[in-house]
Amino acid sequence: TIYVITPTYARLVQKAELTRLSHTLLHVPQLHWILVEDALQKSTLVSNLLRTSGLSYTHLHMPTAAQRKLHEGDPNWLKARGVEQRNEGLRWLREDRRAAAGGGGEQGVVYFADDDNTYSLQLFQEMRNTLKVSVWPVGLVGAMKYESPLVQGGKVIGFHTGWKPSRPFPMDMAGFAVSLRLILAKPDACFDADAPIGFLEGSFLQKLVTMDELEPRADDCTKVLVWHTRTEKPKMSTEKAMQAQGLGSDPTWEV
Amino acid sequence: TIYVITPTYARLVQKAELTRLSHTLLHVPQLHWILVEDALQKSTLVSNLLRTSGLSYTHLHMPTAAQRKLHEGDPNWLKARGVEQRNEGLRWLREDRRAAAGGGGEQGVVYFADDDNTYSLQLFQEMRNTLKVSVWPVGLVGAMKYESPLVQGGKVIGFHTGWKPSRPFPMDMAGFAVSLRLILAKPDACFDADAPIGFLEGSFLQKLVTMDELEPRADDCTKVLVWHTRTEKPKMSTEKAMQAQGLGSDPTWEV
Ligand SMILES: O=c1ccn([C@@H]2O[C@H](COP(=O)(O)OP(=O)(O)O)[C@@H](O)[C@H]2O)c(=O)[nH]1
Ligand SMILES: O=c1ccn([C@@H]2O[C@H](COP(=O)(O)OP(=O)(O)O)[C@@H](O)[C@H]2O)c(=O)[nH]1
Ligand SMILES: [Mn+2]
Ligand SMILES: [Mn+2]
């Protein structure tokens, strides 16, 4: 089973993002979606979407601590997003899922899939056999065409990245998967919510593997199978002008 | 058969967009994708993507006339995009497809799906039975939560839109589908490339129906089943800095 952990938060494009992501996941056999809302409680929107998605899933929620929340206008590199939610997904795998996982479940693989990225179906085939941590390139990330592990003789020997290549594991969240066995064997490994941006992935991977142990996928890390796409925030200027005249969109509609 | 006409153009996010759109379309039975590249010739990227997509498709190309092309920095409301490409899709349906369409093919429905929007699967069920032109709300468009036809007694009696509601058919491209029979019966109906933005959809629909004939779908136009999402243009600042040092990403990689 591939366990896909996705943090998500309420915003205008949330339903659209989760809709198209669910269409991708629905093509992948033996997949379990762990969707973790950044919220004090589970929302009706997400509950209904999951229920009608046709996917096997677990619906969790975990609010981001107030002092860690980004505010309107903050530059988005200020604080890492989705951290507490990914850790909540890990907690569920280790605790609630421990019994089941103790059996055949240990064959599983864990992947962290943000709700706005784009995933090829091939990607899921590449990660399915992961002994410890498998890795591959990520497109359109870090203000570059792609970032990627550099592979020689089947081993990762460095990283193609534009920023501090000497960081521990300078890879995007979308660029690796971890075996469930390893997640269970290292119960303390989680994402450090206080790690500066760019050090978040490393704060987790450091506790799991050495660079030498990484398992290159996607033709020795030469194919882009996942893209760090971002969706524009929709303008609402006309909506506001219409509301001022009492002609706004129906607020009860789910969009 | 649902014939989906999609204009597309080369840019950094093109492969990502077409990948996730193809995942959505792959869930829809009896669908034929007419993908029209805005290019002088068909590209390898799109050809390969279609070939491996698992979809039934037709690959066309039609470049936008030079004087109609948007330039870097132009505001995107200056000129309508994808117009010649949609007309080329219509031409194919009417000419190359005429023989096939003359038979059972007339049962078809034609939908114009931009490559960056988000489509629910339910949407395709709603449009499948279209006598002339079926219509529904579109989310996150026109700087509003949604735009929508207004329905009373099963008939469209007006439109919820923030801008010139008296325009002919003030609806987004994503908000209607047309029966193939009607497309073939009105061989001259196409999109007017010189129509000002906001009048493009009307330039086509005017030749096909009256407002009174529109067939409301999605629970009398009260459900949002399609979203006019837009994808951010990825930054390439680090890429450029790296290239200046001879450390740029491999230009031969397809991203
Ligand atoms: O306040 C927030 C902001 C983001 N996210 C989620 O965290 C992940 C990464 O966020 P985002 O895509 O905005 O980050 P970026 O694209 O800048 O890396 C996504 O799945 C978001 O839905 C979240 O749970 N709470
Ligand atoms: O030069 C261009 C720009 C856009 N498009 C296509 O036309 C449609 C509408 O373009 P876009 O999504 O940029 O328009 P908007 O989101 O602003 O309505 C999309 O399918 C694009 O891929 C095109 O073929 N050539
Ligand atoms: Mn993101
Ligand atoms: Mn668009």
Side-chain angles (χ1 to χ4, degrees), chain B residues 114 116-117 228-230:
Chain B
D114 288 354
D116 58 341
N117 292 338
H228 188 263
T229 41
R230 306 188 82 235

Side-chain angles (χ1 to χ4, degrees), chain B residues 175-204:
Chain B
F176 63 88
V178 183
S179 75
L180 181 58
R181 194 185 301 267
L182 187 59
I183 300 267
L184 297 178
K186 307 268 188 177
D188 295 328
C190 63
F191 293 95
D192 177 0
D194 297 317
I197 279 222
F199 288 83
L200 182 68
E201 289 83 352
S203 76
F204 175 60

Side-chain angles (χ1 to χ4, degrees), chain A residues 16 20 23-24 27 118-119 142-146 160 221 227 230-232 235-236 238-239 249-250 253, chain B residues 16 20 23-24 27 118-119 142-146 160 221 230-232 235-236 238-239 247 249-250 253 255:
Chain A
R20 59 185 166 186
H23 295 170
T24 295
H27 289 294
T118 304
Y119 308 90
M144 299 181 68
K145 268 183 70 176
Y146 59 83
H160 173 66
C221 296
W227 299 264
R230 307 188 80 235
T231 303
E232 278 186 14
K235 292 190 213 96
M236 284 293 127
T238 307
E239 184 68 52
S249 297
D250 189 329
W253 283 29
Chain B
R20 59 185 167 187
H23 295 169
T24 296
H27 288 294
T118 304
Y119 308 90
M144 299 182 66
K145 269 182 71 176
Y146 58 83
H160 173 66
C221 296
R230 306 188 82 235
T231 304
E232 279 187 13
K235 291 189 212 96
M236 284 293 127
T238 307
E239 185 67 51
L247 298 170
S249 297
D250 189 330
W253 283 29
V255 174

Side-chain angles (χ1 to χ4, degrees), chain A residues 98-118:
Chain A
R98 175 168 286 287
E106 282 200 31
Q107 300 298 327
V109 176
V110 180
Y111 182 56
F112 299 94
D114 289 354
D115 61 1
D116 58 342
N117 292 339
T118 304

Side-chain angles (χ1 to χ4, degrees), chain A residues 33-76:
Chain A
W33 197 13
I34 305 172
L35 191 54
V36 191
E37 287 195 70
D38 181 353
L40 284 164
Q41 51 188 39
K42 300 181 196 174
S43 67
T44 324
L45 187 153
V46 174
S47 303
N48 288 342
L49 189 139
L50 282 171
R51 197 168 33 72
T52 57
S53 69
L55 287 161
S56 159
Y57 66 88
T58 297
H59 186 181
L60 303 172
H61 69 101
M62 174 58 67
T64 300
Q67 75 277 12
R68 297 203 58 264
K69 249 331 219 194
L70 278 179
H71 297 105
E72 185 80 33
D74 279 354
N76 70 357

Side-chain angles (χ1 to χ4, degrees), chain A residues 155-169:
Chain A
K155 293 274 180 198
V156 175
I157 55 151
F159 297 90
H160 173 66
T161 173
W163 188 67
K164 295 203 188 176
S166 59
R167 280 176 291 155
F169 303 99

